Every structure is written in C-alpha cells, then in structure tokens.
Amino acid sequence: MSFKTITAAAIAAVMATGAVADENPAIEQRQGQFKLYSHNIAVLGGMAQGRMDYDAGMAQTAADNLFHVTRHDQSRLWPEGTDSSASMATRAKPEIWENLDDFVAKFVALQNAAEALQAVAGDGLDAMRAGVGPLSGTCQACHESYREEAS
Amino acid sequence: MSFKTITAAAIAAVMATGAVADENPAIEQRQGQFKLYSHNIAVLGGMAQGRMDYDAGMAQTAADNLFHVTRHDQSRLWPEGTDSSASMATRAKPEIWENLDDFVAKFVALQNAAEALQAVAGDGLDAMRAGVGPLSGTCQACHESYREEAS
C-alpha cells in the first residue's frame, strides 16, 4: 500500500469510534480526558482516604499519568455550542463560554496542582496526601462553577 | 470543610462519570484515551491528506497532545476479562491477553512514533507527513491484530 492508502485507512479506522450522530465529537473527546482523570484519581484518592494501601510506585505512576493528561491542550475540546443547553450528552454549563478566562485559569490551576503532585506522589503517604488535597480542590472549584448537577 | 471532606466530595464528583453498570470502568477509561488520539489524528491526518491546510502551530499542538496522551501508562487500563468475548462495550480481542508482550511492543511503537512526530510536526507539511505515516502505521498494526471489526 502507498503511504496515502495506509494513512487514509488508519485514520478512518481511528475515527470510527462510535461518536453519537449529530453530536460534536469534541464532547466525547473531552469526556475521554475526564475518564483518564478518574482512572488516576481513583488510585490517588483511594490511598489518600485509606481505602487502599499506599504504594509509592502506583501513586507515582498515577501522578505521572495525570501530569501528562493535563498537558493536553484544551483549545479544540470546548467549541462554542457544546454546552448543556445544546446537548444532553454534556454537563458543561453555558457559563463556561461566558467566563472563558476564568475557565482557563481553573484549568491552569489543575495543571499546576498535577505538576506539584507528580513531584511528591512517590515520597510517602503524607507527602502524596499533601499533593492530592490541592488537586482535588481544583477539580471541585471548576465543577462547582461549570458543571451541571448529575440528573 | 476539612481536607478529608473536600477530597471525598471531589473524588466522588469526579468518579460520577456515567460508567455503565457492571462494565469494568477501565473499558471506557481506555476508550477515553483513544478518543483523545482521534481528536489529534483528525488534525494531523487531515493536513497530511490535504483535506485541511497545513498550519504549523495546530500541527505542533496536536503532536504535543499525542505525545502526552501516549505517555499514559497502560498497565491498569487493560485488566483481564475486559475483552470482546466478555463485553459488548469493547472491540478489544481476547488475543491481546494471549500476546501481551506483542501488544505492549505495539504500544511502545506508537509511543516512539508520537515522539518522532512531535519533533517534526511544526517543521512544514513534508516534515509532518514523514512523521504521520509511521504513526498511522502503528495504529493500524495494532488494530489489525487486536481490534474486532466494527459491527
């Protein structure tokens, strides 16, 4: 196969990921990012709250993951018109787009908290806890302002 | 609120992301990673194939994103028993778990291709194309071996 054929086939295959018809694919793409947050916060939060034994390697891996996932640029994941007034598939409040500077600042706070957590996650339970607290706070700050209650 | 209360509330909120009952959450979490691949490959592939004008900044951002998303550790995203024989929610073939070394090697090939693409994506259309081709090849190699056809 030529380069072009390989690329076209591979891209078509990658894109065929079950997007809901008529929904902007950015909605499920950004939700994918949140699912990766959950995957890692389950470990870090579980250890911080004593529901799991602290394991330095697992904690560090989860924090490394969060660091990388929070480096993903947000600019194409939140197009206008993908709010909860336009789509049942999202809990993103329209207020996001009325306060974009604040929304971006809250995301930067998450990035900074993830970077700080990455630096300490493997250094023992107390050190990890001291990093998980601020990270959780950045999640909550954004959810309180910009996420609809679960129905 | 105490640290513990904040953390517990924030984690509960993060975890309430609509997982399908009885499905292992790792399935939709790893699919989240694939959705972020798609988000970025749509740009890079679109430019490589001439469906979009090449834009160095957009190409570099998409390649940076792919770099970070492919750094996410895979070890907890593919638990045994989360294959297409066990769940309708996944196209991951059981063969993955019979050939884990090969599966991991194919993921490492994707990581390496993403890193190589990141180094050239902003250097012009031809340079970017030379990086997109191998990346697409790593996607396709894994899909051909380990992904069920779309139904």
Side-chain angles (χ1 to χ4, degrees):
Chain A
M1 284 194 287
S2 72
F3 160 74
K4 197 157 183 176
T5 310
I6 291 173
T7 304
I11 290 166
V14 167
M15 301 308 294
T17 49
V20 177
D22 302 326
E23 293 288 1
N24 189 314
I27 293 176
E28 64 172 22
Q29 290 164 353
R30 71 195 184 211
Q31 289 172 346
Q33 189 177 28
F34 283 90
K35 282 169 186 157
L36 293 176
Y37 296 157
S38 294
H39 179 72
N40 296 294
I41 291 170
V43 167
L44 295 157
M47 291 181 191
Q49 296 177 329
R51 287 180 283 104
M52 293 171 59
D53 288 339
Y54 175 75
D55 177 289
M58 276 188 76
Q60 189 63 57
T61 297
D64 290 343
N65 290 342
L66 276 180
F67 171 80
H68 285 297
V69 176
T70 60
R71 295 308 111 168
H72 192 293
D73 183 76
Q74 300 299 297
S75 57
R76 296 175 45 251
L77 287 171
W78 304 88
E80 282 209 53
T82 61
D83 60 65
S84 58
S85 75
S87 169
M88 296 286 288
T90 179
R91 293 161 62 193
K93 289 185 179 175
E95 284 79 358
I96 289 171
W97 289 266
E98 296 159 13
N99 302 282
L100 265 184
D101 287 351
D102 180 60
F103 182 71
V104 169
K106 285 180 162 55
F107 183 73
V108 171
L110 167 65
Q111 291 183 304
N112 292 341
E115 188 166 4
L117 173 58
Q118 184 186 32
V120 298
D123 296 344
L125 178 57
D126 288 345
M128 187 207 71
R129 269 199 183 128
V132 170
L135 181 94
S136 300
T138 65
C139 298
Q140 194 163 19
C142 200
H143 292 167
E144 282 177 356
S145 295
Y146 297 121
R147 187 172 75 162
E148 302 283 0
E149 296 293 316
S151 56
Chain B
M1 284 195 288
S2 72
F3 160 75
K4 196 155 185 179
T5 310
I6 291 173
T7 304
I11 290 168
V14 167
M15 300 310 292
T17 51
V20 177
D22 302 327
E23 293 288 1
N24 189 314
I27 293 176
E28 66 173 19
Q29 290 164 353
R30 72 194 183 213
Q31 289 171 347
Q33 188 177 28
F34 283 90
K35 281 168 186 155
L36 292 176
Y37 295 158
S38 294
H39 179 72
N40 295 293
I41 291 170
V43 168
L44 294 157
M47 291 180 190
Q49 296 178 329
R51 286 179 283 104
M52 292 170 61
D53 289 340
Y54 175 74
D55 177 288
M58 275 189 76
Q60 189 62 57
T61 296
D64 291 343
N65 290 342
L66 276 180
F67 171 81
H68 285 296
V69 177
T70 61
R71 294 307 111 169
H72 191 292
D73 182 75
Q74 299 299 296
S75 57
R76 294 175 44 249
L77 287 170
W78 304 88
E80 282 210 54
T82 61
D83 61 65
S84 58
S85 75
S87 169
M88 296 287 288
T90 178
R91 291 161 63 193
K93 288 185 180 177
E95 285 79 357
I96 290 171
W97 289 267
E98 297 159 12
N99 303 281
L100 265 184
D101 287 352
D102 181 61
F103 182 71
V104 169
K106 284 179 162 57
F107 182 73
V108 171
L110 167 65
Q111 289 183 305
N112 292 341
E115 188 166 5
L117 173 57
Q118 183 185 33
V120 298
D123 297 344
L125 179 58
D126 289 345
M128 186 207 71
R129 269 199 184 128
V132 170
L135 181 93
S136 300
T138 65
C139 298
Q140 193 161 19
C142 200
H143 292 166
E144 283 176 355
S145 296
Y146 298 121
R147 188 172 74 162
E148 303 282 1
E149 296 293 317
S151 56

